Amino acid sequence: GRIRLTPMPERPVLERSYALSQATMGLATQLKSKFPTAETTVRGGKLVVNNSSGSATGSGNLTVGASGAIGGSGYIGGNAAIAGILDPGNSPGTLTFGKDLTLAATTVTIIQLSSSTLYDTVTVGGALTLDGTLQIELLDDYFPEGGATFDIFDADPAKISGSFHSIQVSKPGYTATMDYSTGTLTIVPE
């Protein structure tokens, strides 16, 4: 992996260019501790955050480019803008954003469902702007009963805007709808 730290007069920028080795991520963590307000940019590969305390990216903003991805079951402290892949959880789990989360038209959001109580979620402390494609993966032998609902986005309903251009379900015979005012997904057999 490659890490480039470029100090700027107002705020430093920490760039993660692609999937990083554990040793390199250790260095990135050390750099983030010295520059906690640095912005994090993922231009390619996948940044997996599995922190149990603090913010995996400091308090600076997170930008995920169209060729990048973010995933895991951790906490992101700053605002986040994602143009690539949003893949929360660890089959499954919760990815938490402390401030605003903005998804672009190019974003693919992958949500995995293992059962009616075990599924990926995204928690957002600020405004949630939805866009792009929602891809639902039904794991293992899980076949939801008609009308099964999943609270996949946990955000203040007054701060949710936008919608997905398409919602795709991995197993044939199912369709899905989204209640954008609450962040709730409903899966029904066709």
Side-chain angles (χ1 to χ4, degrees):
R2 180 185 78 170
I3 297 178
R4 182 180 64 194
L5 182 64
T6 308
M8 298 177 72
E10 304 258 334
R11 56 186 174 182
V13 175
L14 176 65
E15 179 179 312
R16 296 181 184 131
S17 298
Y18 47 89
L20 301 171
S21 70
Q22 188 172 4
T24 305
M25 279 306 294
L27 174 60
T29 301
Q30 290 173 14
L31 290 172
K32 286 304 280 186
S33 69
K34 294 189 185 314
F35 300 96
T37 60
E39 293 184 2
T40 301
T41 300
V42 181
R43 294 177 191 240
K46 184 176 185 178
L47 174 62
V48 178
V49 296
N50 287 314
N51 55 310
S52 58
S53 66
S55 172
T57 57
S59 62
N61 295 336
L62 168 68
T63 302
V64 178
S67 297
I70 179 92
S73 293
Y75 177 81
I76 305 292
N79 293 321
I82 301 174
I85 296 172
L86 171 58
D87 187 10
N90 292 309
S91 298
T94 300
L95 186 57
T96 301
F97 295 87
K99 294 185 179 175
D100 297 347
L101 172 60
T102 303
L103 306 180
T106 55
T107 303
V108 176
T109 301
I110 301 169
I111 299 292
Q112 297 176 327
L113 310 175
S114 290
S115 73
S116 62
T117 59
L118 191 59
Y119 52 90
D120 289 335
T121 59
V122 176
T123 299
V124 180
L128 170 60
T129 305
L130 300 170
D131 205 343
T133 300
L134 176 59
Q135 184 176 315
I136 305 301
E137 294 182 356
L138 301 175
L139 299 179
D140 306 318
D141 294 328
Y142 181 53
F143 294 92
E145 295 184 19
T149 61
F150 307 88
D151 295 323
I152 60 173
F153 288 98
D154 180 11
D156 180 347
K159 294 182 179 180
I160 299 174
S161 64
S163 63
F164 291 107
H165 290 119
S166 70
I167 301 175
Q168 304 166 355
V169 182
S170 64
K171 290 183 181 172
Y174 286 93
T175 60
T177 60
M178 189 78 195
D179 181 342
Y180 293 105
S181 66
T182 62
T184 302
L185 174 77
T186 302
I187 302 233
V188 294
E190 292 180 324

